[in-house]
Amino acid sequence: MSTQRKAVALISGGLDSLLAAKLMLNQGIHVEGINFYTGFCVEGHTHAIRKKDKDKPKRNNALWSAEQLGIKLHIIDIIEEYKDVLINPKHGYGANMNPCLDCKIFMVGKAKQWMEDNGFDFIITGEVIGQRPMSQRKELLPVVVKESGADDRLVRPLCAKNLAPTLPEREGWIDRDKMKGFSGRNRKPQMALAEEYGFEDYANPAGGCCFLTDKNYSDKLVDLWQARNKKEYDLDDIMLLKVGRHIRPEPHYKLIVSREEGENKFLSGYKKHFGHIEIKSHNGPLTLVDGKLSDEDFHYAASIAARFSQGRDADSVNVKVTTQDGEEKTYDIKPMPASEIKQDWYV
Ligand code: SF4
């Protein structure tokens, strides 16, 4: 009697990993998913905060994928370990601050460890040759295989026919002919396969799976590191980079100005940890201040914050300022004219 072989699939929540796992399930493989949580994942977070995103599903796409597949999903927090991948990527960054190749090597390496610890036989990823410029170039796929230590236990069912046979194929655990030979940036083959399997409403077929591929987000991360003179971050830092307008009027401080009610509520959760500015006489944003501010800085910052309130054209606006040490002051201030808010303050 043949033993049922077991594979662990990297599930990002996107279409490719969903299809790759499905191809293996269809070959009678027992599949369980792993989703690595780095803190940069695009999942539900901002959709849950902002009103303009209210129509986007507030779901965890990795869990949704697992549900579609009927498999168990292990969500593994790698926030701490991931810092070294992002801060010192051996293979460098992509177009933005995305260290995709190092990230893939790291995640496949973690999956390999998990595979060994749990008695599984091989690893599945949804990679497609040539799909993404940095990590999926044909000459780089072997780098992931080698540096992750997964060797020929790494199966990429969506492009397997373009690659050398892996151990599971050679051993006859899976049939190479039933896998795919996709390549390039064209998403149509994946979409057709999704339709064949009846998958609808899957997440952003062409989008990246993390905020590090986003230019605006990456700029804010670089600004944070420059201001600290050090490449370091914690989970709150990287969550806050996803929310509000980030304005740096002076090198030694930054303002995070909420853009709407949902962000106001979210930023309120950080009032204890940051100095902040609230507009009292008019409807207006909550502004967190990141840095050490003098009284003079606070006045200047409050006039900027007032600019974003409904009192922007008033002669004076009443503001409450709370310093980093919890000291509160209330005063009237003239909102800064729009012409004085410099474009290059926006991070
Ligand atoms: S997009 Fe983000 S999560 Fe995906 S491989 Fe690149 S760095 Fe890693």
Side-chain angles (χ1 to χ4, degrees):
M1 203 179 84
S2 67
T3 0
Q4 189 187 25
R5 293 292 168 175
K6 298 200 267 185
V8 56
L10 290 186
I11 299 288
S12 66
L15 179 59
D16 292 352
S17 57
L18 174 71
L19 293 174
K22 180 70 177 168
L23 281 163
M24 292 293 90
L25 281 168
N26 285 0
Q27 293 209 28
I29 300 296
H30 171 89
V31 178
E32 293 188 18
I34 292 191
N35 174 256
F36 290 116
Y37 184 72
T38 62
F40 295 98
C41 312
V42 178
E43 296 299 336
H45 180 255
T46 43
H47 302 168
I49 297 173
R50 297 202 70 187
K51 204 157 136 204
K52 84 173 179 54
D53 293 329
K54 72 178 184 328
D55 294 334
K56 293 195 181 151
K58 290 168 192 52
R59 66 182 188 204
N60 178 311
N61 285 316
L63 278 173
W64 179 86
S65 296
E67 193 186 320
Q68 300 300 303
L69 294 163
I71 63 168
K72 206 172 185 179
L73 181 73
H74 306 268
I75 298 183
I76 301 181
D77 174 337
I78 53 164
I79 295 168
E80 278 307 311
E81 289 168 273
Y82 193 75
K83 286 181 181 171
D84 191 46
V85 178
L86 175 57
I87 291 171
N88 304 303
K90 178 177 160 196
H91 298 282
Y93 298 103
N96 294 297
M97 291 305 286
N98 48 311
C100 289
L101 186 52
D102 288 84
C103 176
K104 272 273 147 60
I105 292 167
F106 177 74
M107 288 186 183
V108 172
K110 294 286 290 178
K112 181 195 171 233
Q113 190 61 54
W114 190 95
M115 170 188 87
E116 289 169 356
D117 294 346
N118 291 277
F120 276 52
D121 301 294
F122 64 100
I123 304 160
I124 308 164
T125 67
E127 288 159 293
V128 171
I129 292 176
Q131 179 123 141
R132 299 202 193 281
M134 186 177 184
S135 58
Q136 298 187 8
R137 291 210 316 266
K138 186 161 188 178
E139 70 273 21
L140 295 180
L141 292 188
V143 177
V144 178
V145 168
K146 192 161 171 272
E147 294 191 16
S148 65
D151 296 320
D152 59 358
R153 286 181 187 259
L154 176 58
V155 178
R156 286 118 162 182
L158 295 183
C159 61
K161 284 183 175 168
N162 302 323
L163 302 169
T166 56
L167 178 84
E169 292 160 81
R170 295 196 309 272
E171 293 291 322
W173 304 342
I174 53 175
D175 182 349
R176 182 175 175 85
D177 290 338
K178 292 186 181 148
M179 294 195 283
K180 302 290 174 188
F182 298 165
S183 69
R185 298 179 77 90
N186 181 9
R187 307 277 308 158
K188 287 199 181 125
Q190 283 95 314
M191 287 170 169
L193 193 57
E195 198 177 331
E196 190 185 318
Y197 289 144
F199 293 136
E200 291 169 4
D201 196 24
Y202 44 80
N204 53 344
C209 45
C210 97
F211 269 103
L212 295 169
T213 57
D214 180 85
K215 178 170 180 349
N216 291 335
Y217 188 90
S218 295
D219 288 349
K220 285 186 242 177
L221 181 63
V222 171
D223 168 78
L224 182 89
W225 285 345
Q226 276 170 353
R228 291 188 182 165
N229 219 356
K230 210 173 186 186
K231 280 178 153 189
E232 60 168 27
Y233 64 87
D234 62 25
L235 185 60
D236 284 333
D237 291 326
I238 60 180
M239 288 293 148
L240 284 169
L241 296 183
K242 298 177 187 176
V243 181
R245 291 183 183 88
H246 288 235
I247 301 174
R248 187 175 291 286
E250 299 281 347
H252 65 285
Y253 71 90
K254 178 175 81 169
L255 307 177
I256 306 174
V257 186
S258 80
R259 290 171 292 190
E260 53 152 63
E261 193 50 37
E263 290 192 341
N264 242 29
K265 283 196 189 124
F266 181 79
L267 294 180
S268 291
Y270 287 90
K271 276 160 78 172
K272 279 206 179 87
H273 307 284
F274 287 88
H276 51 274
I277 300 163
E278 293 160 285
I279 311 294
K280 290 296 178 191
S281 54
H282 297 79
N283 279 334
L286 169 64
T287 299
L288 299 185
V289 296
D290 183 12
K292 265 263 177 243
L293 279 74
S294 64
D295 277 356
E296 199 185 329
D297 290 332
F298 259 117
H299 270 82
Y300 196 68
S303 73
I304 297 171
R307 179 73 226 161
F308 295 97
S309 75
Q310 287 188 358
R312 64 181 67 88
D313 297 320
D315 286 337
S316 98
V317 165
N318 187 258
V319 296
K320 184 174 136 198
V321 159
T322 307
T323 68
Q324 299 87 328
D325 305 324
E327 193 191 330
E328 295 178 356
K329 285 180 191 161
T330 303
Y331 42 79
D332 293 330
I333 199 141
K334 186 168 169 45
M336 185 174 284
S339 57
E340 287 179 28
I341 302 208
K342 299 195 181 109
Q343 271 313 307
D344 62 6
W345 288 353
Y346 286 90
V347 180

